Amino acid sequence: HPYLIAESNDGWYLMAYIEKAKEKNSVFILNNRINKINALPVERIHSINIKTKNNFQKTSVNLLELLEDMVGVSIENWENPERIKLVLELEKELIFYFKTKSFIGFKEKLVGNIYTHPCTINSKELKNKILSFGSKIKVIEPEILKKEIKKEIELIKIKYDKNNS
């Protein structure tokens, strides 16, 4: 039961419910497994089957609205996703990039070098996208994401220090 195609990290994913799938943990199919696409009108996208801990259940989730508030497609709970207020401090070189390209959806705000998105859905890809800007970006809020980024940077540093010894 296909529902939506979403782009994440330069890859396309089909969001679907597969009744007889061997792996019930995933509702995503990578683009290399898709051989034909027939688009439906946006109005037809209104409810999906969501994977819960033990089984799939029918629920009403506005996928387009959720995807507008997130980077990527990897979240644990589609019915009640973890939302955070994201505040980033940008180096001067990134300001033009953030003015001309949407980082996350349309609710974002850029004042000076401070980027804010009030209700970002916390996803695996969010941390990776922030890390992709290297030292040109700093997480101000939320504190938990700031700690995760810092931990990842420390692990990277350890790997590079090991290889140079």
Side-chain angles (χ1 to χ4, degrees):
H1 304 276
Y3 293 101
L4 184 69
I5 294 177
E7 186 273 334
S8 174
N9 293 332
D10 297 325
W12 289 92
Y13 296 84
L14 172 65
M15 302 171 98
Y17 168 62
I18 305 168
E19 290 179 30
K20 297 181 181 181
K22 291 179 183 175
E23 299 172 14
K24 290 288 187 183
N25 292 333
S26 178
V27 292
F28 304 107
I29 299 173
L30 294 171
N31 62 342
N32 61 354
R33 294 180 57 198
I34 301 169
N35 61 8
K36 184 177 179 186
I37 296 172
N38 293 320
L40 295 173
V42 172
E43 302 82 48
R44 296 266 319 264
I45 303 167
H46 54 80
S47 65
I48 63 169
N49 291 314
I50 297 289
K51 171 78 170 94
T52 60
K53 295 254 187 246
N54 300 316
N55 59 0
F56 282 91
Q57 67 184 37
K58 190 80 168 177
T59 187
S60 182
V61 173
N62 188 330
L63 289 174
L64 297 177
E65 186 179 294
L66 290 178
L67 290 170
E68 215 171 84
D69 289 338
M70 66 189 288
V71 175
V73 294
S74 301
I75 61 174
E76 294 291 321
N77 185 344
W78 283 89
E79 287 183 303
N80 189 21
E82 177 190 356
R83 290 184 181 266
I84 57 175
K85 178 182 178 189
L86 181 65
V87 181
L88 304 172
E89 182 180 335
L90 312 174
E91 292 289 323
K92 189 176 169 182
E93 315 73 281
L94 280 185
I95 294 172
F96 181 75
Y97 177 87
F98 274 71
K99 278 183 180 176
T100 58
K101 293 180 177 53
S102 178
F103 186 68
I104 305 170
F106 301 103
K107 298 172 187 162
E108 59 195 10
K109 186 167 33 168
L110 183 63
V111 178
N113 70 329
I114 302 297
Y115 167 91
T116 307
H117 190 280
C119 54
T120 304
I121 295 175
N122 198 4
S123 66
K124 294 175 185 177
E125 293 92 345
L126 175 63
K127 182 172 77 171
N128 293 334
K129 188 164 184 178
I130 291 168
L131 285 165
S132 74
F133 290 104
S135 65
K136 306 289 184 222
I137 197 167
K138 178 182 177 183
V139 175
I140 305 299
E141 288 182 47
E143 192 61 34
I144 187 81
L145 181 60
K146 188 176 181 176
K147 286 178 182 176
E148 287 177 18
I149 297 285
K150 187 175 180 180
K151 182 179 178 183
E152 187 67 27
I153 292 167
E154 288 168 359
L155 291 171
I156 293 168
K157 186 177 180 333
I158 289 168
K159 276 195 175 186
Y160 279 91
D161 287 347
K162 263 187 182 177
N163 290 338
N164 290 334
S165 304

